Amino acid sequence: MPARIFVDTPLHADSAEISLPAAAARHVQVLRLQPGHSVLVFDGRGGEWQAEVTHMGRSEVRVRLLARHVVQRELSHGVHLAVVMPANDRMDGLVEKATELGAASIQPLMAERSVLRLSGERAQKKCAHWLGVAVAAAEQCGRTQLPLVHPVQNLASWLAQLSPDSSQRRWLLSPGAQQTLATALPQPGTTTLVLSGPEGGLSPAEEAAALARGFTALALGPRILRADTAPLAVLGTLSLLGADGV
C-alpha cells in the first residue's frame, strides 16, 4: 500500500502539482521515496488523493495529484472524549489510540486531583505535539479526518461552558456508578460525549457538577481501569458498534 501523507493545506482538483509542507516533505524523505513513487495524500477534511512524487530535493518535495478517492472511515456518530490528562506522557498514547479508534475530538482537562497541570505556552506546545501524534496515527490507520485537539481547560470552566443538548449522550465514567456501559448503549443520541477523570478520580463535587450538566454516571466493570485506559475502552466499544449504540 502506498505511504499516506498528511498535508496541512486544502487540496483541490486544480492543484495539479503541489510542494509538500515541511513536515510532509520530511516524511517522504525519511521513506526515501523517489520521483515516480505513488503516495496517498489527505488534508484531514475527508477523502484522499492518489498522487505521484515528481521531485525529490533537499529542501523541496513535489507531488502530482492524480485522482481523488471519496472514502468513509469515520464512525457513523461522533464520539468526543473529554479527559483529565493522565501523567507521565500517557496522554500521547491516549491521543494515538483515540485517533485510531475514531474519536471526533479530544478535550484535555485539569481537575482537582490532576497530576499533570499545564498552562500558557507549555499547554499550547503540548496541544501542538498531540496534534502531531494524531496526524501520525491518522496516516497509519487510514483516517481521512483528524480529531480536533482542543486547548487545555479546567474541568469546572469547561463544564460551565457546556450548552444543553438533548440529542447528545453524555457519559461520566465513575467506578462507583450503578449503571453500566452495557445498559446505557441503547439510549438514543446523535453524538456521545465521554468524560473521564484523572488517576485519583474526580472529586464528589466534580462528579456532581457533571451530573448537573446532563451526564450519566457509568461503571465499566468490576476492575479499576487506568486514567488512559477507561476512555479508550468506551471508544473501542462504540467503534466496534459503529457508535450507534445498537
Side-chain angles (χ1 to χ4, degrees), residues 27-173:
H27 189 166
V28 174
Q29 289 165 339
V30 167
L31 294 174
R32 300 182 182 233
L33 301 182
Q34 298 299 322
H37 281 164
S38 296
V39 293
L40 292 175
V41 182
F42 68 104
D43 60 9
R45 296 167 177 83
E48 60 189 13
W49 288 82
Q50 180 183 349
E52 179 183 82
V53 178
T54 58
H55 173 79
M56 173 66 72
R58 290 188 176 182
S59 59
E60 184 183 31
V61 176
R62 294 197 301 271
V63 301
R64 179 183 296 113
L65 302 181
L66 302 176
R68 184 175 186 269
H69 304 298
V70 178
V71 294
Q72 175 54 264
R73 301 188 182 110
E74 299 303 305
L75 302 183
S76 58
H77 291 157
V79 181
H80 305 268
L81 299 185
V83 294
V84 179
M85 301 174 293
N88 301 325
D89 294 325
R90 291 183 182 272
M91 189 69 177
D92 286 18
L94 194 158
V95 170
E96 178 185 71
K97 301 310 177 189
T99 301
E100 291 179 19
L101 291 168
S105 71
I106 302 167
Q107 173 62 67
L109 297 169
M110 292 183 294
E112 291 180 22
R113 298 170 181 169
S114 288
V115 175
L116 177 61
R117 294 186 178 275
L118 301 172
S119 62
E121 184 178 357
R122 185 169 174 236
Q124 294 175 0
K125 287 183 176 179
K126 273 293 187 181
C127 286
H129 168 73
W130 291 328
L131 180 58
V133 171
V135 165
E139 288 177 335
Q140 179 275 324
C141 74
R143 286 190 69 174
T144 59
Q145 296 182 27
L146 297 179
L148 294 174
V149 180
H150 296 291
V152 177
Q153 290 197 58
N154 287 309
L155 174 60
S157 300
W158 177 75
L159 285 172
Q161 296 167 11
L162 282 183
S163 60
D165 187 349
S166 60
S167 67
Q168 183 183 62
R169 297 181 293 195
R170 293 179 176 176
W171 293 341
L172 164 66
L173 305 187

Side-chain angles (χ1 to χ4, degrees), residues 112-113 155 159 172-177 195 197 201-213 215 217:
E112 291 180 22
R113 298 170 181 169
L155 174 60
L159 285 172
L172 164 66
L173 305 187
S174 176
L195 172 58
L202 298 178
S203 70
E206 289 172 330
E207 289 208 359
L211 295 177
R213 283 291 175 175
F215 283 84

